[in-house]
Amino acid sequence: KRPLDNNADLETLLWTIRYGIFLAGFFVTIVSLILTQVMFESNEGWKRFGCIIVGLVSGILIGLFTEYCTSYSYRPTASIRESAVTGGATVIIRGLGVGMLSVIVPTLAVGVAILACNALIGNYGIALAAVGMLSTLSITLATDAYGPVADNAGGIAEMVPDSELSEETRDRTDALDALGNTTAATGKGFAIGSAALVSLAL
């Protein structure tokens, strides 16, 4: 277990969650390899394993790019903050622009996964890619649920009189709240990507 500093920034907090997702992906890879080789003939087993891995990798890519677009540690969100200097209208315009650009990588990831898995074993391969993408659902859903918890903690800290609570506490809850917003967006990225694969397979 890696200890966290009390003054850890958002990037450090994000990496603690990434470790969990990467570890879950590693276990999924090992278990999928064993099951596909045991249950199917060698060539067919490798094709099915490939579809699962394609879905898993595309899901992780969607999650990482969502973090990049929604975390204030990175350029997209920082550019929205900087645009506030010239007024509210530029914030809206910049925010819409960043939002529209943020769908490019997830769309490409899902499109490549669909084409690759369809080439391997058809619609069944696309369904297996959806399974691979959802295989880390337990941890991504847990991080999605973290957002409201951190938000409530910040709300409670706001209600406590200033004389009873230090500014440092509020700064920490703000950082955790920002992390919660990012993890919530990441969880939705996984859900929407897998829904696109499942709907096509059906």
Side-chain angles (χ1 to χ4, degrees):
K1 183 179 178 181
R2 201 165 59 89
L4 278 177
D5 182 18
N6 284 335
N7 297 317
D9 58 4
L10 183 61
E11 182 65 17
T12 305
L13 296 172
L14 280 172
W15 267 109
T16 60
I17 293 174
R18 286 179 198 148
Y19 288 139
I21 294 174
F22 293 155
L23 187 61
F26 172 75
F27 286 131
V28 167
T29 301
I30 298 300
V31 173
S32 299
L33 177 61
I34 294 170
L35 290 178
T36 52
Q37 296 309 305
V38 169
M39 296 175 66
F40 303 100
E41 295 179 3
S42 180
N43 190 38
E44 290 299 311
W46 281 112
K47 288 182 179 179
R48 284 159 173 75
F49 175 69
C51 290
I52 294 171
I53 295 306
V54 166
L56 176 64
V57 171
S58 61
I60 290 175
L61 282 176
I62 290 171
L64 292 176
F65 191 71
T66 304
E67 285 181 9
Y68 174 73
C69 289
T70 57
S71 169
Y72 65 71
S73 298
Y74 299 113
R75 182 64 193 158
T77 305
S79 68
I80 298 173
R81 181 188 65 222
E82 291 165 5
S83 68
V85 175
T86 53
T90 50
V91 172
I92 295 171
I93 294 168
R94 186 71 182 184
L96 282 171
V98 170
M100 290 175 183
L101 289 173
S102 69
V103 303
I104 293 175
V105 170
T107 302
L108 288 175
V110 171
V112 168
I114 289 170
L115 293 174
C117 295
N118 186 62
L120 283 172
I121 48 176
N123 279 346
Y124 182 56
I126 299 172
L128 284 178
V131 171
M133 191 177 289
L134 288 172
S135 59
T136 57
L137 182 65
S138 56
I139 188 163
T140 54
L141 201 60
T143 57
D144 191 5
Y146 166 81
V149 175
D151 192 26
N152 289 339
I156 293 169
E158 279 185 342
M159 290 187 289
V160 176
D162 293 339
S163 59
E164 298 179 19
L165 205 63
S166 66
E167 281 189 25
E168 185 182 8
T169 302
R170 186 58 193 157
D171 290 340
R172 289 180 184 175
T173 56
D174 283 343
L176 294 174
D177 190 19
L179 175 65
N181 294 334
T182 300
T183 57
T186 303
K188 289 169 179 61
F190 275 91
I192 293 170
S194 60
L197 295 175
V198 171
S199 62
L200 181 61
L202 291 176

